Amino acid sequence: MKRTMRNSIAVAAAVFAIVGGAAFSAPDKYTLKSPGGVAFADFKGYEDWAVVSSARTDEVLKVIVANPTMIKAYKAGVPKNGQHFPEGSKIVKLQWKPKKSTDAPFVVDVPDVFTQAFVMEKDSKRFPKTGGWGYALFNYDAPSDTFVADAAPADCGQACHVKVKTKDYIFHPYQKR
């Protein structure tokens, strides 16, 4: 009887540890969805997408990447040729806090702590009120190594991007290389 009781307790403890651990583990970033309906899962693989451009503000270093659909459109001349990006185009602005390199023999800022992934996807049926683009901001918390969908409507989102409506709402041109 004691042995059966010990085995039952051990099994219960193991189940509790597994279930309890799952309850407290960080959510997979690809399960996140923004308040505006943009799912992080729609951008799976963004880590390997081609670079469109880079930018620097006083606060962050940015690298802008796009999916193959959008890169193909850029190479065909969009938006300079007056055309719009095709449905399914996706672009991600990755943002880091900068730091001065201690390795380089010259002054250069390099990425330090990753902070955000600002995403846009072209889907005119889902996002007809915002020029066909859906916007979302996923904030990264380095200590917990997790992403969280920002409750705000995505950084500046449509409000900022309307300034570049003639460029199909995209600020960054595809850079020569």
Side-chain angles (χ1 to χ4, degrees):
M1 177 76 171
K2 284 184 179 181
R3 185 176 186 178
T4 304
M5 182 70 108
R6 272 188 274 147
N7 286 344
S8 296
I9 291 171
V11 168
V15 168
F16 179 75
I18 292 168
V19 172
F24 295 110
S25 67
D28 175 10
K29 66 184 175 185
Y30 293 121
T31 63
L32 299 174
K33 196 170 203 175
S34 76
V38 176
F40 209 156
D42 292 347
F43 298 85
K44 202 168 203 161
Y46 73 91
E47 301 91 342
D48 298 320
W49 291 355
V51 172
V52 171
S53 183
S54 64
R56 168 89 163 87
T57 69
D58 291 337
E59 296 86 28
V60 293
L61 294 173
K62 305 174 185 188
V63 173
I64 298 88
V65 299
N67 71 346
T69 300
M70 193 159 182
I71 293 294
K72 183 177 177 183
Y74 267 125
K75 289 180 176 181
V78 175
K80 289 180 191 176
N81 62 9
Q83 299 296 311
H84 293 284
F85 288 99
E87 296 292 309
S89 291
K90 297 174 186 176
I91 193 164
V92 180
K93 178 174 55 177
L94 305 166
Q95 300 185 151
W96 290 265
K97 290 182 182 176
K99 68 177 182 179
K100 298 287 182 205
S101 172
T102 56
D103 297 323
F106 46 86
V107 178
V108 63
D109 286 335
V110 295
D112 186 18
V113 177
F114 184 72
T115 60
Q116 297 177 322
F118 172 79
V119 303
M120 292 174 61
E121 69 178 303
K122 184 80 173 260
D123 186 331
S124 298
K125 289 180 184 170
R126 287 176 50 210
F127 310 110
K129 294 179 181 176
T130 53
W133 290 96
Y135 302 85
L137 183 62
F138 297 97
N139 297 315
Y140 179 71
D141 180 63
S144 65
D145 190 28
T146 59
F147 283 86
V148 176
D150 198 302
D155 199 17
C156 69
Q158 174 67 9
C160 286
H161 286 254
V162 76
K163 294 174 186 174
V164 286
K165 182 178 179 180
T166 60
K167 297 178 183 176
D168 199 14
Y169 301 94
I170 299 295
F171 281 105
H172 294 274
Y174 185 74
Q175 298 297 318
K176 290 278 185 199
R177 37 211 85 192

